[in-house]
Amino acid sequence: MEKDLSWMKEHRVAHRGLHDNKVYPENSLKAYQNAVDHGYDIEMDVWLTDSNVLIMHHDRNLKRTANLDIKATKLDTNNLTQYKLFGTDESVPLFDDMLKVVNGKVGLIIEIKPTIRVKDTCEMVMKHLAGYKGKYCIESFDLNVVNYMHKHFPYVILGQLYDHVWWQKWMAKGFKQYKKVNFLAICIKNTHETYYQKIRKNCKDKVFVTWTIRTPEDQAKAIATCDNYIFETNIKKEGNIEPPDPVIK
């Protein structure tokens, strides 16, 4: 099935929205809107809670983001406003609210977080994306998620995340996950490796994205080794890159 991946090479991608964790908390509606306003595609993270509701959050728990010792999957989705992010007025958002904010204006790289509820999570994500008119793709570190999406939703643009952690990288390589996906999302620490560059040379139909670009050195490496990159700006931490031109030239 032919898929149009061209949009994945057209705009830089804001990591968890265009955020600074001061005014614009990561994976918040405000950070998503900020990315839209500046013309960036967005990378974001989704969990399925125990109450079968999709929420946006990166970590497995809220200790770092909200100073609360609670798992993301255990949140009370009837009262998400109680989970304030980084001391701001922004709270953990619903997946549907994210879709309403973006509304097809920019592309989405949606990461399904590793889960034992693979079928339920994948099915719920695709249920909520049914009828969505914007450009999106799905990625995951979780091989089971990628395999499920590959088998049951072959029309979706699909990516395998490759970490620098040896065991995850070893498993993804061992099972030749690159054959099942349309794009590879590779940690910037590893993009130079022969394994990935050989795939890039031999598989012209695949898009290569790298994460997470924060420094000028990594930015130069990303441009040299991949088709696109996911970034954070200098607003979050001194020494990080300036916001790049959203349009890839």
Side-chain angles (χ1 to χ4, degrees), residues 184-199:
L184 278 63
I186 310 160
C187 176
I188 188 59
K189 295 181 180 180
N190 302 111
T191 59
H192 65 284
E193 291 182 8
T194 301
Y195 177 82
Y196 301 113
Q197 291 307 313
K198 185 176 180 180
I199 296 172

Side-chain angles (χ1 to χ4, degrees), residues 4 21 25 42 47-48 56 70 74 89-90 98 106 108-109 119 122 124 176 202 207 211 220 227-228 243:
D4 180 12
N21 289 349
I42 308 171
W47 295 91
L48 181 65
M56 312 305 297
I70 183 172
K74 302 291 184 182
D89 288 334
E90 291 292 297
M98 176 277 295
V106 299
L108 304 179
I109 299 181
K119 179 180 183 297
C122 293
M124 188 64 74
K176 298 182 178 179
N202 295 332
V207 172
W211 52 274
D227 299 307
N228 202 353

Side-chain angles (χ1 to χ4, degrees), residues 220-242:
K221 183 179 178 182
I223 292 171
T225 57
C226 290
D227 299 307
N228 202 353
Y229 61 76
I230 299 167
F231 73 93
E232 289 183 355
T233 73
N234 68 334
I235 298 173
K236 187 174 179 182
K237 184 178 180 181
E238 186 177 354
N240 281 12
I241 60 172
E242 297 285 341

Side-chain angles (χ1 to χ4, degrees), residues 2 9 15 55 74 86 90 107 121 148 150 166 194 235 243:
E2 188 173 351
K9 301 179 183 181
H15 192 224
I55 61 158
K74 302 291 184 182
F86 297 98
E90 291 292 297
T121 305
Y148 189 91
H150 171 70
W166 72 268
T194 301
I235 298 173

Side-chain angles (χ1 to χ4, degrees), residues 7-18 29-44 98-110 129 132-137 228 231 246-247:
W7 65 270
M8 298 187 71
K9 301 179 183 181
E10 294 175 350
H11 295 88
R12 299 300 182 197
V13 186
H15 192 224
R16 308 174 195 168
L18 191 58
L29 296 182
K30 199 169 183 178
Y32 300 147
Q33 184 64 61
N34 197 28
V36 170
D37 291 343
H38 286 83
Y40 295 110
D41 288 351
I42 308 171
E43 180 271 350
M44 73 258 299
M98 176 277 295
L99 292 179
K100 291 175 184 176
V101 165
V102 177
N103 193 28
K105 296 172 185 174
V106 299
L108 304 179
I109 299 181
I110 302 167
L129 283 169
Y132 181 68
K133 302 302 182 182
K135 297 180 175 67
Y136 71 88
C137 60
N228 202 353
F231 73 93
V247 179

